[in-house]
Amino acid sequence: MIDTRSAALRMQPVLAVLLGLAVAGCGPKNEYQAPPPPEVTVARPVSQVISRSLQFTGTTSPVEKVEIRARVSGYLDKVAFTDGMNVEAGELLFVIDQAPFQTALRQAEATQRLAEARVESSLAEFDKARAEAENAQAQLARGERAARGGAVTEGELDDLRTTRDAAYASAKAAQAAIASSRAEVEAAAAQVASAKLDLSYTEVRSPIKGRVGEAEVDVGNLVGASDPTLLTTVVRYNP
């Protein structure tokens, strides 16, 4: 006798498989589906001026740069500016001790006055020597006239000639002394001019308009002893 219940239980898995195949055969086909279009941002165009620019690595330099150096030797007496300030052309920057240069100027002026006095003295000596020479010449002329009458001997005429020649020699020496004294005046005047120039160099001024840098030397230091000491720099940026 066949157990129908047990057979039915054994057939259930087979039926499930067949049923699944039947259902799969009746469904839609697996076809390629295109992706949706990407989302984009839309904006209206704007008309405007665009400046083109390029970037480079480099250094800048001023239009003009002047190194301020000491032109005379002495102790720095004053710094008349603040580092980084703007200065005008001719503005005072430093002052070097002026006392030695003022003394040198007074000495040179005294030497010039002495030379001028020597010129005046030489002129007076020349006038005196010339007068004596003219007088000696006149005495000789009278002696020569007297000698023709026998009143003056030849020896006396020789003495008169010697006196005349000595007077003319003295006049020439006085004239040479005048030229020498005048040369001394010119030399003394040159010394005065040099002393005035050195004194003016004690006031160190900016030659240009611009920005002054840092003071390289402090007050009390000796500058310009062996070489022109660098005091500071002035740069001009405009234009």
Side-chain angles (χ1 to χ4, degrees), residues 28-46:
K29 296 181 179 180
N30 187 12
E31 296 179 353
Y32 169 76
Q33 297 292 329
E39 295 182 359
V40 295
T41 301
V42 179
R44 292 182 177 275
V46 178

Side-chain angles (χ1 to χ4, degrees), residues 156-206:
E156 291 174 336
L157 285 178
D158 290 339
D159 292 338
L160 291 174
R161 292 189 183 96
T162 301
T163 302
R164 189 272 315 270
D165 294 341
Y168 274 111
S170 297
K172 289 182 178 180
Q175 190 173 16
I178 292 173
S180 177
S181 299
R182 285 173 175 170
E184 290 179 1
V185 170
E186 293 179 358
Q191 291 179 354
V192 170
S194 178
K196 287 181 178 179
L197 187 62
D198 288 342
L199 180 60
S200 68
Y201 288 154
T202 60
E203 293 185 350
V204 183
R205 300 180 180 275
S206 176

Side-chain angles (χ1 to χ4, degrees), residues 82-106:
T82 303
D83 296 348
M85 68 180 290
N86 292 322
V87 295
E88 298 293 331
E91 186 168 343
L92 181 66
L93 301 179
F94 297 92
V95 177
I96 300 172
D97 185 16
Q98 296 180 329
F101 301 95
Q102 291 170 342
T103 301
L105 176 59
R106 288 193 293 269

Side-chain angles (χ1 to χ4, degrees), residues 43 104 112 115 142 173 186 201 210 215 217 229 236:
Q112 182 179 7
R142 286 194 293 270
E186 293 179 358
Y201 288 154
V217 183
T229 305
R236 183 168 64 90

